Amino acid sequence: MSEAATSKRKIVNPLKGVFTGRFLVSPQLAKNWPFIIYLSLLALIMIASSHSAESKVHHISRLRTQMKELNSEYIDTRSRLMIESMEYKVISKGQELGLEKSNTPPLIIKVAEND
């Protein structure tokens, strides 16, 4: 066999062992199982942490959208209240109830303080 075919076979064999999973049961790597399990647990913790962060980002986004909606509703309600509390609107609503605008100004009552 040629030298290129031999080197190609050497590359294929280790890759074949990785893909089939034989490297996990070899006696040489049996001592590394605790480290492999440790790395797997770290990977699971990292995945859970990123998932939690992602869900919090989505929750914050939903809350910001609700806050914008409530703020626009507040502004709309405040502007309607300002229009409804104008003097001409109050007078017209009072006339609907049978009330009339007074022609005499209100009296100011002053109480003298005696020491």
Side-chain angles (χ1 to χ4, degrees):
M1 271 197 212
S2 71
E3 207 173 304
T6 308
S7 67
K8 196 175 199 182
R9 185 178 293 165
K10 287 180 185 177
I11 293 174
V12 172
N13 285 338
L15 291 178
K16 185 177 180 183
V18 169
F19 290 132
T20 58
R22 284 189 198 154
F23 75 99
L24 294 173
V25 292
S26 71
Q28 298 161 347
L29 292 178
K31 62 183 177 184
N32 293 329
W33 267 105
F35 185 68
I36 293 171
I37 292 171
Y38 173 72
L39 289 179
S40 300
L41 287 174
L42 283 180
L44 287 174
I45 290 171
M46 190 175 80
I47 290 169
S49 174
S50 66
H51 177 69
S52 173
E54 187 84 17
S55 67
K56 287 179 184 178
V57 166
H58 287 297
H59 183 68
I60 290 171
S61 175
R62 273 183 264 137
L63 288 176
R64 282 192 179 153
T65 303
Q66 287 177 353
M67 187 179 74
K68 287 179 184 178
E69 289 174 5
L70 289 173
N71 191 29
S72 64
E73 183 180 340
Y74 163 72
I75 291 171
D76 182 48
T77 304
R78 186 179 65 183
S79 65
R80 281 189 282 141
L81 176 65
M82 288 176 61
I83 291 171
E84 290 295 322
S85 64
M86 290 185 171
E87 185 180 0
Y88 76 92
K89 286 278 194 174
V90 173
I91 291 172
S92 67
K93 295 275 184 183
Q95 286 175 348
E96 289 176 7
L97 295 173
L99 302 173
E100 294 180 7
K101 184 177 177 182
S102 176
N103 293 330
T104 60
L107 298 173
I108 298 175
I109 302 173
K110 290 185 181 180
V111 177
E113 291 185 24
N114 293 334
D115 289 323

PDB file of all heavy atoms in Angstrom, residues 24-37:
ATOM      1  N   LEU A  24     -15.632   5.717  24.204  1.00  0.00           N
ATOM      2  CA  LEU A  24     -16.176   5.867  25.550  1.00  0.00           C
ATOM      3  C   LEU A  24     -15.970   4.621  26.416  1.00  0.00           C
ATOM      4  O   LEU A  24     -15.953   4.717  27.645  1.00  0.00           O
ATOM      5  CB  LEU A  24     -17.667   6.200  25.479  1.00  0.00           C
ATOM      6  CG  LEU A  24     -18.015   7.556  24.865  1.00  0.00           C
ATOM      7  CD1 LEU A  24     -19.520   7.685  24.708  1.00  0.00           C
ATOM      8  CD2 LEU A  24     -17.466   8.686  25.708  1.00  0.00           C
ATOM      9  N   VAL A  25     -15.851   3.468  25.781  1.00  0.00           N
ATOM     10  CA  VAL A  25     -15.715   2.223  26.541  1.00  0.00           C
ATOM     11  C   VAL A  25     -14.297   1.672  26.528  1.00  0.00           C
ATOM     12  O   VAL A  25     -14.052   0.600  27.056  1.00  0.00           O
ATOM     13  CB  VAL A  25     -16.704   1.150  26.017  1.00  0.00           C
ATOM     14  CG1 VAL A  25     -18.124   1.565  26.324  1.00  0.00           C
ATOM     15  CG2 VAL A  25     -16.478   0.865  24.555  1.00  0.00           C
ATOM     16  N   SER A  26     -13.373   2.412  25.969  1.00  0.00           N
ATOM     17  CA  SER A  26     -11.993   1.913  25.946  1.00  0.00           C
ATOM     18  C   SER A  26     -11.406   1.974  27.354  1.00  0.00           C
ATOM     19  O   SER A  26     -11.725   2.859  28.133  1.00  0.00           O
ATOM     20  CB  SER A  26     -11.147   2.729  24.966  1.00  0.00           C
ATOM     21  OG  SER A  26     -10.934   4.015  25.485  1.00  0.00           O
ATOM     22  N   PRO A  27     -10.582   1.023  27.719  1.00  0.00           N
ATOM     23  CA  PRO A  27     -10.019   0.987  29.072  1.00  0.00           C
ATOM     24  C   PRO A  27      -9.147   2.201  29.380  1.00  0.00           C
ATOM     25  O   PRO A  27      -9.029   2.621  30.515  1.00  0.00           O
ATOM     26  CB  PRO A  27      -9.182  -0.286  29.099  1.00  0.00           C
ATOM     27  CG  PRO A  27      -9.389  -0.982  27.822  1.00  0.00           C
ATOM     28  CD  PRO A  27     -10.165  -0.111  26.918  1.00  0.00           C
ATOM     29  N   GLN A  28      -8.567   2.814  28.362  1.00  0.00           N
ATOM     30  CA  GLN A  28      -7.703   3.969  28.579  1.00  0.00           C
ATOM     31  C   GLN A  28      -8.519   5.202  29.010  1.00  0.00           C
ATOM     32  O   GLN A  28      -8.040   6.032  29.773  1.00  0.00           O
ATOM     33  CB  GLN A  28      -6.916   4.289  27.310  1.00  0.00           C
ATOM     34  CG  GLN A  28      -6.003   3.162  26.892  1.00  0.00           C
ATOM     35  CD  GLN A  28      -5.608   3.283  25.440  1.00  0.00           C
ATOM     36  OE1 GLN A  28      -6.184   4.041  24.688  1.00  0.00           O
ATOM     37  NE2 GLN A  28      -4.604   2.493  25.046  1.00  0.00           N
ATOM     38  N   LEU A  29      -9.728   5.298  28.527  1.00  0.00           N
ATOM     39  CA  LEU A  29     -10.540   6.472  28.836  1.00  0.00           C
ATOM     40  C   LEU A  29     -11.517   6.246  29.979  1.00  0.00           C
ATOM     41  O   LEU A  29     -12.255   7.144  30.359  1.00  0.00           O
ATOM     42  CB  LEU A  29     -11.321   6.923  27.591  1.00  0.00           C
ATOM     43  CG  LEU A  29     -10.465   7.479  26.461  1.00  0.00           C
ATOM     44  CD1 LEU A  29     -11.331   7.832  25.273  1.00  0.00           C
ATOM     45  CD2 LEU A  29      -9.694   8.703  26.910  1.00  0.00           C
ATOM     46  N   ALA A  30     -11.530   5.062  30.551  1.00  0.00           N
ATOM     47  CA  ALA A  30     -12.449   4.765  31.649  1.00  0.00           C
ATOM     48  C   ALA A  30     -12.173   5.652  32.855  1.00  0.00           C
ATOM     49  O   ALA A  30     -13.086   6.023  33.593  1.00  0.00           O
ATOM     50  CB  ALA A  30     -12.360   3.302  32.036  1.00  0.00           C
ATOM     51  N   LYS A  31     -10.922   6.020  33.032  1.00  0.00           N
ATOM     52  CA  LYS A  31     -10.581   6.878  34.159  1.00  0.00           C
ATOM     53  C   LYS A  31     -11.080   8.313  33.962  1.00  0.00           C
ATOM     54  O   LYS A  31     -11.143   9.078  34.909  1.00  0.00           O
ATOM     55  CB  LYS A  31      -9.079   6.867  34.404  1.00  0.00           C
ATOM     56  CG  LYS A  31      -8.277   7.406  33.243  1.00  0.00           C
ATOM     57  CD  LYS A  31      -6.801   7.307  33.521  1.00  0.00           C
ATOM     58  CE  LYS A  31      -6.047   7.798  32.281  1.00  0.00           C
ATOM     59  NZ  LYS A  31      -4.628   7.665  32.414  1.00  0.00           N
ATOM     60  N   ASN A  32     -11.458   8.679  32.761  1.00  0.00           N
ATOM     61  CA  ASN A  32     -11.921  10.036  32.474  1.00  0.00           C
ATOM     62  C   ASN A  32     -13.438  10.193  32.590  1.00  0.00           C
ATOM     63  O   ASN A  32     -13.968  11.280  32.338  1.00  0.00           O
ATOM     64  CB  ASN A  32     -11.469  10.474  31.079  1.00  0.00           C
ATOM     65  CG  ASN A  32      -9.974  10.637  31.001  1.00  0.00           C
ATOM     66  OD1 ASN A  32      -9.339  10.978  31.986  1.00  0.00           O
ATOM     67  ND2 ASN A  32      -9.414  10.379  29.835  1.00  0.00           N
ATOM     68  N   TRP A  33     -14.138   9.129  32.929  1.00  0.00           N
ATOM     69  CA  TRP A  33     -15.609   9.216  33.021  1.00  0.00           C
ATOM     70  C   TRP A  33     -16.088  10.278  34.015  1.00  0.00           C
ATOM     71  O   TRP A  33     -17.032  11.008  33.719  1.00  0.00           O
ATOM     72  CB  TRP A  33     -16.217   7.855  33.359  1.00  0.00           C
ATOM     73  CG  TRP A  33     -16.596   7.112  32.112  1.00  0.00           C
ATOM     74  CD1 TRP A  33     -15.942   6.064  31.564  1.00  0.00           C
ATOM     75  CD2 TRP A  33     -17.689   7.407  31.269  1.00  0.00           C
ATOM     76  NE1 TRP A  33     -16.560   5.672  30.413  1.00  0.00           N
ATOM     77  CE2 TRP A  33     -17.651   6.489  30.206  1.00  0.00           C
ATOM     78  CE3 TRP A  33     -18.691   8.348  31.272  1.00  0.00           C
ATOM     79  CZ2 TRP A  33     -18.561   6.496  29.176  1.00  0.00           C
ATOM     80  CZ3 TRP A  33     -19.613   8.352  30.249  1.00  0.00           C
ATOM     81  CH2 TRP A  33     -19.545   7.436  29.217  1.00  0.00           C
ATOM     82  N   PRO A  34     -15.510  10.409  35.194  1.00  0.00           N
ATOM     83  CA  PRO A  34     -15.976  11.471  36.097  1.00  0.00           C
ATOM     84  C   PRO A  34     -15.851  12.867  35.475  1.00  0.00           C
ATOM     85  O   PRO A  34     -16.731  13.713  35.622  1.00  0.00           O
ATOM     86  CB  PRO A  34     -15.073  11.339  37.327  1.00  0.00           C
ATOM     87  CG  PRO A  34     -14.627   9.927  37.309  1.00  0.00           C
ATOM     88  CD  PRO A  34     -14.526   9.551  35.856  1.00  0.00           C
ATOM     89  N   PHE A  35     -14.757  13.087  34.746  1.00  0.00           N
ATOM     90  CA  PHE A  35     -14.579  14.387  34.098  1.00  0.00           C
ATOM     91  C   PHE A  35     -15.594  14.595  32.979  1.00  0.00           C
ATOM     92  O   PHE A  35     -16.137  15.696  32.814  1.00  0.00           O
ATOM     93  CB  PHE A  35     -13.149  14.508  33.559  1.00  0.00           C
ATOM     94  CG  PHE A  35     -12.846  15.850  32.980  1.00  0.00           C
ATOM     95  CD1 PHE A  35     -12.764  16.970  33.788  1.00  0.00           C
ATOM     96  CD2 PHE A  35     -12.645  15.994  31.620  1.00  0.00           C
ATOM     97  CE1 PHE A  35     -12.486  18.218  33.253  1.00  0.00           C
ATOM     98  CE2 PHE A  35     -12.366  17.227  31.076  1.00  0.00           C
ATOM     99  CZ  PHE A  35     -12.287  18.349  31.897  1.00  0.00           C
ATOM    100  N   ILE A  36     -15.887  13.541  32.226  1.00  0.00           N
ATOM    101  CA  ILE A  36     -16.885  13.631  31.150  1.00  0.00           C
ATOM    102  C   ILE A  36     -18.257  13.933  31.737  1.00  0.00           C
ATOM    103  O   ILE A  36     -19.010  14.768  31.220  1.00  0.00           O
ATOM    104  CB  ILE A  36     -16.895  12.335  30.310  1.00  0.00           C
ATOM    105  CG1 ILE A  36     -15.584  12.196  29.541  1.00  0.00           C
ATOM    106  CG2 ILE A  36     -18.086  12.312  29.358  1.00  0.00           C
ATOM    107  CD1 ILE A  36     -15.386  10.857  28.860  1.00  0.00           C
ATOM    108  N   ILE A  37     -18.605  13.280  32.833  1.00  0.00           N
ATOM    109  CA  ILE A  37     -19.890  13.536  33.496  1.00  0.00           C
ATOM    110  C   ILE A  37     -19.937  14.968  34.029  1.00  0.00           C
ATOM    111  O   ILE A  37     -20.947  15.666  33.909  1.00  0.00           O
ATOM    112  CB  ILE A  37     -20.141  12.496  34.608  1.00  0.00           C
ATOM    113  CG1 ILE A  37     -20.369  11.126  33.992  1.00  0.00           C
ATOM    114  CG2 ILE A  37     -21.327  12.898  35.473  1.00  0.00           C
ATOM    115  CD1 ILE A  37     -20.420  10.003  34.993  1.00  0.00           C
TER     116      ILE A  37
END
